[in-house]
Amino acid sequence: MDSDGLTLQQAGFLFARRVTEPLERLTRAVRAFGAGGDIGELSRMPDNEVGRLAAAFTSMTREIADREREKELLAERLREARKMEAVGTL
């Protein structure tokens, strides 16, 4: 194989890594989130469809986390209200 062929192979490998590496990071984040874990860091994603998908996924996970916190807060308020109601009926 001549040096031009090797350079072409190297360029192909580098291009493939630029495409697959962000997809692999996003896949790991999706799996971690699905297992109830932290999605990790999804910054420095490319400015393309994969980067926009990663940004949307990050936004979605933050919104879900906010809703979960709100749900827990409301559940705590409900428990307190029930305690107060029970004390009032004694």
Side-chain angles (χ1 to χ4, degrees):
M1 189 176 276
D2 62 10
S3 63
D4 290 338
L6 186 58
T7 304
L8 188 57
Q9 281 182 327
Q10 289 172 334
F13 177 77
L14 292 174
F15 177 74
R17 287 301 304 153
R18 285 187 61 188
V19 171
T20 59
E21 193 273 332
L23 287 172
E24 289 170 355
R25 287 179 38 219
L26 182 56
T27 299
R28 285 191 301 272
V30 169
R31 287 185 178 142
F33 182 72
D38 184 27
I39 66 167
E41 184 63 40
L42 285 177
S43 64
R44 299 183 334 256
M45 294 297 273
D47 186 23
N48 60 18
E49 291 83 0
V50 174
R52 288 188 288 280
L53 180 60
F57 178 72
T58 300
S59 177
M60 178 193 71
T61 60
R62 287 182 182 147
E63 289 172 10
I64 289 172
D66 289 346
R67 285 190 208 125
E68 285 297 315
R69 281 190 292 275
E70 184 177 351
K71 182 175 126 181
E72 289 300 319
L73 179 62
L74 291 172
E76 181 60 31
R77 287 182 182 169
L78 180 59
R79 283 190 292 275
E80 291 297 320
R82 286 182 177 161
K83 286 179 187 177
M84 296 301 287
E85 180 183 35
V87 169
T89 59
L90 291 178

